[in-house]
Amino acid sequence: LRRSVIMKVLDRALAPDSIAVSRFIQEAQITAQLEHPAIIPVHDIGTLTDGRPYYTMTEVRGRTLASVIDDVHEASANGWSVEPGGFGFGRLIDVFQRVCEAVGYAHAGGVIHRDLKPQNVMVGAFGEAIVLDWGLARLVADAPEPRSLSTIRQDSASFMTETGSIVRTRG
């Protein structure tokens, strides 16, 4: 198709860990089932020859929301100014609204992101705002508009996150 995609591959050190593998596959499955303009599209999932799972996503070009916020603050020594990329307070609010719409869509379908932060939002040059990294996402049973999302981790209670357990991400 002559388009660029991003391939996310499970780290070699985690490959023997069945829980890490199931979490990785769940991340791909949840993300793929959340079809929204502000959620990264997943195109394919598979297994490399060494047995590690991978999935591919649309390549998003741009900057993280964290970087944009830093640039706006740097340009705004005496109030709200526009940074060199054209972002000011108004455009930041627009991005925030699109992120809220994506998260609202996910919540309505019973999915909680659990790692939403400016580093996990990409902002494109043409107004795109894309929520990334659904690796800590969790399905909840009492969704207002359940969409019948399903993942590999639902098949076995041994893969469920226990109450009080802490799962971290970098950044």
Side-chain angles (χ1 to χ4, degrees):
L1 297 176
R2 296 186 180 187
R3 68 175 172 189
S4 296
V5 296
I6 299 298
M7 178 184 279
K8 186 169 184 176
V9 180
L10 184 67
D11 188 277
R12 286 186 198 282
L14 297 174
D17 182 346
S18 63
I19 292 174
V21 170
S22 70
R23 283 184 190 276
F24 184 86
I25 293 170
Q26 176 178 280
E27 175 183 355
Q29 290 173 333
I30 286 175
T31 309
Q33 293 175 71
L34 292 173
E35 297 181 63
H36 186 276
I39 297 175
I40 187 79
V42 172
H43 300 295
D44 192 22
I45 188 169
T47 306
L48 298 176
T49 56
D50 66 4
R52 292 181 297 149
Y54 73 86
Y55 65 95
T56 60
M57 303 166 280
T58 297
E59 179 182 25
V60 180
R61 296 176 190 262
R63 302 181 284 166
T64 67
L65 180 55
S67 171
V68 173
I69 291 169
D70 289 344
D71 291 348
V72 169
H73 279 289
E74 188 175 316
S76 302
N78 299 323
W80 286 99
S81 296
V82 176
E83 54 88 47
F87 280 88
F89 183 71
R91 282 191 72 190
L92 284 175
I93 294 300
D94 291 342
V95 169
F96 183 67
Q97 178 180 346
R98 283 194 286 287
V99 169
C100 289
E101 290 166 352
V103 170
Y105 171 82
H107 286 183
V111 177
I112 300 172
H113 189 285
R114 299 197 311 170
D115 194 24
L116 192 59
K117 57 190 175 188
Q119 294 86 343
N120 286 340
V121 176
M122 287 294 292
V123 178
F126 301 101
E128 311 94 319
I130 307 291
V131 180
L132 309 171
D133 197 355
W134 293 81
L136 294 182
R138 181 174 185 182
L139 294 175
V140 294
D142 56 350
E145 301 171 24
R147 290 191 184 85
S148 301
L149 294 172
S150 65
T151 70
I152 189 173
R153 295 186 72 217
Q154 289 174 303
D155 297 338
S156 172
S158 66
F159 292 132
M160 300 306 284
T161 304
E162 293 182 27
T163 302
S165 65
I166 298 173
V167 181
R168 295 186 172 95
T169 63
R170 296 180 188 142

